[in-house]
Amino acid sequence: MTIRDEQLVADLKALRKGRGILAGAITARMGEALRTVTGTHGVDQAVEVRRKVAECLWRWAGELPDDLRIAVRAAFALDQSDQLPLYKDRVRLVAQRLNRDERTARRRIDEGIERLAEVARSGAPLTDAGPAEPVPGWHTEELRVTLALDQQPPEAFEFRRIVADHDRIEHVDMAITLTAPFVANGPARTEDLEIDVFHGGRLTTRAMESTDRYGFRLVLPKPLRRHESHQIGLRFRIRADRTMAPHYVCVPKHRCAEFDLRVRFDPERPPERIWRLVNAFQRDVDDPQPRGDGVPLDAACEIHTAFHELTPGLAYGIRWHPPSGTGGS
């Protein structure tokens, strides 16, 4: 079938109505163009059609600019936090997240759908090959981190509450990046970072995903049902002879509703200044000219800051200027 962008745009706009991807009669609302690009021809079961379409929409939206990605994922109710019963309610949600009025939010959704059709038509598989990155099976409802920089070596304590978005979530894959100058440390190695599980699962796999990113898998005590929550407690500790870069940020891959960060600095060597990073691009974290609101230290040489509804792919946290005469923490 030859697919025209206008056909696909019309099909997508029809799908976004009402409950979006959660519509009860989803098979009846699937146009021929959308069926073709999602590989759902011949699939009649609503649950399977819904799964395939949701996976494709999530993946295609990941190719869009941040504002359009936020707009279309909410418009189709792809994330648990977007699953409002009326399209107009999701438009209002997009307006809130983009800090724009509802008219602008509708334009962003329309623009996003047009771009989504371009991505789908140019790169979508016409067979059931499956997407490169499926809809995430879980998301973070709350992440609380305490970073102790007055210890040697520094330690980070992470307490995370996750919520399953599907049934039978048996493990979670996570990653942490240890950013530090190669001149000082050389390439990162798996033994440079210790990961201790306090509660919530069993560590089964560790591997270097890049020169400084550690990936690991945590097998849960029991499979989670959809909407079931689970608590995880971890400790991260870097090797004593490695230098930590002067920042700590969370860059969520998928939804993170709350991020609470506490950092304790060395009272004998407090930082010269601290900046709060919000909606920052990752390359801005190491920008030679820091930007952001200043964060004061309290009498205990600590700071506390919190973030809400983090945008996947953007950085949230703090960076600091080390004391004079030092190159890190």
Side-chain angles (χ1 to χ4, degrees):
M1 174 183 176
T2 302
I3 304 170
R4 297 195 305 272
D5 283 348
E6 57 266 28
Q7 290 178 302
L8 192 49
V9 167
D11 286 357
L12 290 168
K13 287 184 176 180
L15 183 63
R16 74 184 178 187
K17 296 177 181 178
R19 293 185 179 272
I21 195 67
L22 299 177
I26 189 170
T27 54
R29 293 176 52 184
M30 292 285 293
E32 284 296 306
L34 188 55
R35 281 264 192 188
T36 299
V37 297
T38 56
T40 53
H41 274 301
V43 181
D44 296 321
Q45 292 187 342
V47 64
E48 187 66 11
V49 171
R50 200 184 320 277
R51 181 186 67 81
K52 287 176 176 288
V53 175
E55 288 177 347
C56 289
L57 292 177
W58 185 278
R59 187 179 86 244
W60 298 334
E63 301 295 322
L64 305 184
D66 293 333
D67 59 335
L68 301 186
R69 181 180 68 245
I70 293 169
V72 298
R73 284 180 175 173
F76 291 106
L78 292 177
D79 194 278
Q80 184 180 1
S81 63
D82 306 327
Q83 293 173 2
L84 303 176
L86 300 177
Y87 173 63
K88 66 178 182 180
D89 293 333
R90 296 197 299 278
V91 171
R92 191 174 300 117
L93 187 65
V94 172
Q96 293 171 357
R97 290 180 178 174
L98 298 181
N99 195 25
R100 297 290 188 270
D101 58 33
E102 291 184 27
R103 179 179 297 179
T104 302
R106 289 181 185 276
R107 288 200 299 266
R108 292 290 189 276
I109 293 171
D110 286 343
E111 182 183 354
I113 285 178
E114 291 175 0
R115 293 284 297 275
L116 203 67
E118 295 175 7
V119 173
R121 201 166 69 87
S122 63
L126 301 184
T127 60
D128 187 16
E133 182 180 343
V135 177
W138 58 276
H139 69 271
T140 299
E141 194 67 24
E142 182 184 30
L143 173 62
R144 292 184 292 114
V145 173
T146 297
L147 177 61
L149 296 175
D150 60 336
Q151 305 293 319
Q152 191 56 245
E155 296 180 327
F157 299 85
E158 176 182 301
F159 299 94
R160 184 185 297 258
R161 179 162 61 91
I162 67 171
V163 176
D165 295 325
H166 304 297
D167 286 329
R168 296 202 58 80
I169 300 301
E170 299 179 344
H171 66 265
V172 293
D173 291 319
M174 301 182 184
I176 183 171
T177 299
L178 181 59
T179 53
F182 284 167
V183 174
N185 295 310
R189 300 172 297 177
T190 54
E191 59 265 30
D192 292 341
L193 180 71
E194 296 180 14
I195 305 175
D196 297 312
V197 182
F198 287 168
H199 60 79
R202 177 170 53 89
L203 190 65
T204 61
T205 304
R206 289 186 58 185
M208 298 300 300
E209 295 183 348
S210 70
T211 55
D212 58 3
R213 186 173 64 251
Y214 299 76
F216 60 98
R217 171 168 291 183
L218 201 68
V219 175
L220 304 181
K222 65 180 183 65
L224 300 181
R225 300 184 304 274
R226 186 178 184 186
H227 303 322
E228 185 176 0
S229 65
H230 180 70
Q231 301 274 0
I232 296 170
L234 304 170
R235 177 176 65 181
F236 302 95
R237 182 164 46 190
I238 65 172
R239 203 178 67 200
D241 60 345
R242 289 193 67 88
T243 302
M244 178 179 171
H247 63 252
Y248 188 95
V249 297
C250 172
V251 184
K253 186 176 182 181
H254 304 302
R255 184 191 176 219
C256 179
E258 302 286 337
F259 172 40
D260 186 275
L261 176 62
R262 296 177 184 270
V263 182
R264 179 177 177 85
F265 292 89
D266 185 350
E268 301 297 324
R269 301 170 55 251
E272 293 184 357
R273 189 176 177 187
I274 305 169
W275 294 269
R276 187 172 185 265
L277 301 174
V278 183
N279 292 327
F281 292 102
Q282 294 186 50
R283 63 177 179 273
D284 295 339
V285 174
D286 294 310
D287 193 298
Q289 296 183 343
R291 295 175 177 83
D293 297 331
V295 182
L297 284 168
D298 64 17
C301 207
E302 299 175 359
I303 66 99
H304 175 219
T305 187
F307 308 87
H308 310 283
E309 289 298 345
L310 286 64
T311 299
L314 299 183
Y316 300 79
I318 65 166
R319 65 176 296 185
W320 59 90
H321 195 289
S324 298
T326 65
S329 299

